[in-house]
Amino acid sequence: MFSASGRQIDRATIIFLTLTAVAFIVATYDVRSSGEGVADTMREGTQSLFTPLQSGVDFVTRPAVGFVDGIANIAGLRDDNERLASRVRELEASASEGESLREQVIQLEAINGLTVPGELATVTARIGGSGASTFDNIRFIDKGSEDGIVAGQAVVDEDGLVGWVDLVSAKASRIRLIIDPAVSVGVRISRTNETGIVTGHGDGPLRLEMFRANEGVNVGDRVVTVGSRFPPGIAVGTIEASAKAEVGFVLRTGVNPAVRLSQLDYVKVIVGWSPIDAQLQDEDATPQTTVVPETTSTTEGSG
Amino acid sequence: MSRSRVALAVVVVVAAIVIQTTVFAQGRIQPLGFAPALVTLVIVALSVYLEPEYLLLVGFTAGILVDLMGSSTLGLWAMTLTAVAYIAGRLKQTVVDRPLMLIFVVFGATVFGQFLYVLLATLFGHDTISEPRVLGNVVMPAVWNVLLAVPVFWILSKIFNRTTSRLAV
């Protein structure tokens, strides 16, 4: 096309460099606008256009996909059966103990004025698809603002916290999973009642940081939401490795997510607890300084 | 001719994105826990049917759509797939002349695309490079793409050859 330093640059190369420059400018703009503004509108619009297509393809292919997936995982199913049988025995053994504990919990919650997540209004939605690249930690659901969903609401399944709604259109929403590095959740260790922050780490265990821990954490300790942006008491996971609290140092360890993100099908969006409710609760709770530590209330659900 | 082919290519890219986000979504068909990078494979396959300049435009459009349907910074996949399209356009003659080279081109282009995205995402603050399965996410989609290359190339040849013959009539 033209000569530069004695070498010919062809048309394709010029177009390539131009498009790369345009993409770089778009990326810089998106970073500076923190994913809001025009970029967010474009995301919502694209999501709205793709949702019907995804739903149609999902409806048609789901039986075949389930069949192929079942064959691919036939060896894993045997292990799953053995693991589940063992789990049932454990649960049966702890059922009677759990009943008495439940009564105690109900009494304590009544005293503390806490809200049980199971009693909050929820919207059941079906997972319709995931991100378009292998690096995305998002899911799309078939319910949107028409169903009362707003950005920031917690998404759970029967095992615990799945993530939070970060983009909403009229008939669909996008969930950012708890394993996404951009997601941080304020948590409490059930055994010790001490609080910290859990951050996503891709497919690896979540990262737990406790800044003012007096006690250590043990393998298997339950980690639940502390209750600010998200309702309190939702299972987040269990401690992966024991760690001790050293004075003046941050306690860091891993948390295995409670939910099996690879097997999500139906989820519940907790519409009875929005970020506005959380703010109101925070304001109401301001005189009672023990409810939510400031560090967690500012980071929870950020993305 | 070129315009109709570009329009058809965009339709193919949209179909690839829909299949990627549904059939190959997590919890669906993901052998060994990794999905193919179908959009990258389609861009490489389209290099046989499009002029390099048009392939770049289709690659850029595909990247923007992947960005909009994902959670990363807008423009990162646009840069990545534009680069993949550029390389695929350069290697077009190699694939046409020696079909066996297809395996290496598909594998190499996919690894390049995945790795370039990891680098760009990390540069733009996503910390993708430190994720535990990053190596698998770079290599395994390339392996599945090689396995899917034959059916995808065959389907595209049917689509584009039929369209071309209809337009010729």
Side-chain angles (χ1 to χ4, degrees):
Chain A
M1 182 64 66
F2 63 84
S3 180
S5 305
R7 294 182 66 185
Q8 290 287 326
I9 299 177
D10 63 7
R11 204 170 139 196
T13 304
I14 293 168
I15 293 172
F16 166 63
L17 293 174
T18 307
L19 291 174
T20 303
V22 170
F24 187 83
I25 291 166
V26 168
T28 308
Y29 169 77
D30 195 32
V31 168
R32 289 182 72 88
S33 63
S34 305
E36 294 176 352
V38 179
D40 220 19
T41 309
M42 286 173 68
R43 284 191 175 95
E44 282 176 25
T46 310
Q47 188 179 307
S48 300
L49 288 173
F50 271 81
T51 300
L53 294 173
Q54 286 178 315
S55 301
V57 171
D58 190 47
F59 178 77
V60 171
T61 60
R62 189 175 280 264
V65 168
F67 177 72
V68 173
D69 191 43
I71 290 173
N73 294 312
I74 202 155
L77 285 175
R78 193 175 296 119
D79 293 340
D80 272 356
N81 277 338
E82 288 173 7
R83 188 181 51 74
L84 288 170
S86 165
R87 182 75 181 135
V88 166
R89 285 193 293 275
E90 283 175 25
L91 289 172
E92 282 174 350
S94 63
S96 55
E97 184 188 352
E99 195 58 39
S100 63
L101 285 172
R102 186 186 297 176
E103 286 176 13
Q104 289 178 36
V105 168
I106 290 167
Q107 289 172 10
L108 287 168
E109 283 171 345
I111 292 166
N112 292 324
L114 296 175
T115 313
V116 183
E119 291 177 354
L120 294 169
T122 58
V123 169
T124 303
R126 189 167 202 182
I127 301 286
S130 64
S133 89
T134 53
F135 297 96
D136 289 320
N137 298 308
I138 56 171
R139 296 286 184 278
F140 294 98
I141 55 172
D142 60 353
K143 298 286 169 64
S145 57
E146 289 180 356
D147 304 285
I149 294 174
V150 297
Q153 288 170 336
V155 182
V156 298
D157 76 352
E158 63 275 19
D159 293 323
L161 185 67
V162 172
W164 64 295
V165 178
D166 80 331
L167 195 65
V168 185
S169 61
K171 295 181 188 299
S173 305
R174 191 176 78 180
I175 303 168
R176 201 174 273 266
L177 303 176
I178 51 168
I179 60 169
D180 192 293
V183 174
S184 294
V185 182
V187 295
R188 178 171 57 82
I189 309 297
S190 289
R191 184 176 60 80
T192 64
N193 249 356
E194 293 197 293
T195 57
I197 298 169
V198 152
T199 307
H201 187 45
D203 291 316
L206 310 171
R207 287 171 166 166
L208 170 66
E209 290 183 318
M210 299 173 73
F211 297 96
R212 289 174 292 190
N214 294 316
E215 290 186 52
V217 292
N218 299 331
V219 174
D221 278 353
R222 283 189 76 232
V223 180
V224 299
T225 52
V226 75
S228 179
R229 292 292 176 92
F230 300 150
I234 302 173
V236 174
T238 52
I239 296 292
E240 183 209 23
S242 299
K244 286 183 178 175
E246 304 282 351
V247 176
F249 290 93
V250 177
L251 186 155
R252 288 193 175 92
T253 188
V255 173
N256 292 317
V259 294
R260 291 202 211 175
L261 296 169
S262 62
Q263 294 176 8
L264 290 177
D265 194 0
Y266 286 96
V267 293
K268 281 187 172 181
V269 182
I270 302 179
V271 295
W273 183 286
S274 71
I276 297 169
D277 298 322
Q279 282 173 11
L280 290 172
Q281 168 156 321
D282 286 350
E283 286 167 14
D284 291 345
T286 305
Q288 303 166 11
T289 52
T290 54
V291 176
V292 181
E294 195 175 336
T295 49
T296 54
S297 66
T298 54
T299 57
E300 195 171 18
S302 69
Chain B
M1 179 72 75
S2 290
R3 280 184 185 173
S4 64
R5 284 197 164 202
V6 169
L8 196 58
V10 172
V11 172
V12 169
V13 163
V14 169
I17 291 172
V18 172
I19 291 169
Q20 179 83 54
T21 57
T22 51
V23 176
F24 295 119
Q26 199 173 23
R28 309 283 165 78
I29 298 178
Q30 287 206 348
L32 304 179
F34 296 96
L38 196 58
V39 183
T40 305
L41 174 58
V42 163
I43 295 297
V44 175
L46 286 172
S47 68
V48 178
Y49 304 100
L50 296 177
E51 294 299 314
E53 294 85 353
Y54 293 115
L55 183 67
L56 285 165
L57 291 172
V58 171
F60 179 82
T61 308
I64 288 288
L65 287 173
V66 170
D67 282 324
L68 290 170
M69 288 296 290
S71 59
S72 66
T73 303
L74 190 61
L76 297 189
W77 274 107
M79 270 189 263
T80 302
L81 291 180
T82 306
V84 168
Y86 183 73
I87 290 172
R90 294 282 167 192
L91 296 173
K92 173 182 180 175
Q93 210 52 49
T94 309
V95 174
V96 172
D97 293 344
R98 287 178 287 178
L100 270 180
M101 284 299 288
L102 177 72
I103 295 170
F104 299 101
V105 172
V106 167
F107 186 85
T110 310
V111 167
F112 169 76
Q114 298 290 101
F115 184 67
L116 180 61
Y117 174 79
V118 169
L119 281 183
L120 289 170
T122 305
L123 283 173
F124 276 82
H126 289 285
D127 200 23
T128 311
I129 206 160
S130 72
E131 288 188 15
R133 299 205 312 167
V134 66
L135 189 64
N137 260 327
V138 169
V139 177
M140 289 309 294
V143 174
W144 302 140
N145 273 8
V146 168
L147 296 176
L148 284 174
V150 172
V152 167
F153 272 73
W154 182 78
I155 290 168
L156 288 191
S157 73
K158 291 289 175 193
I159 292 171
F160 278 88
N161 291 338
R162 182 175 291 182
T163 310
T164 307
S165 57
R166 274 186 187 174
L167 287 169
V169 170

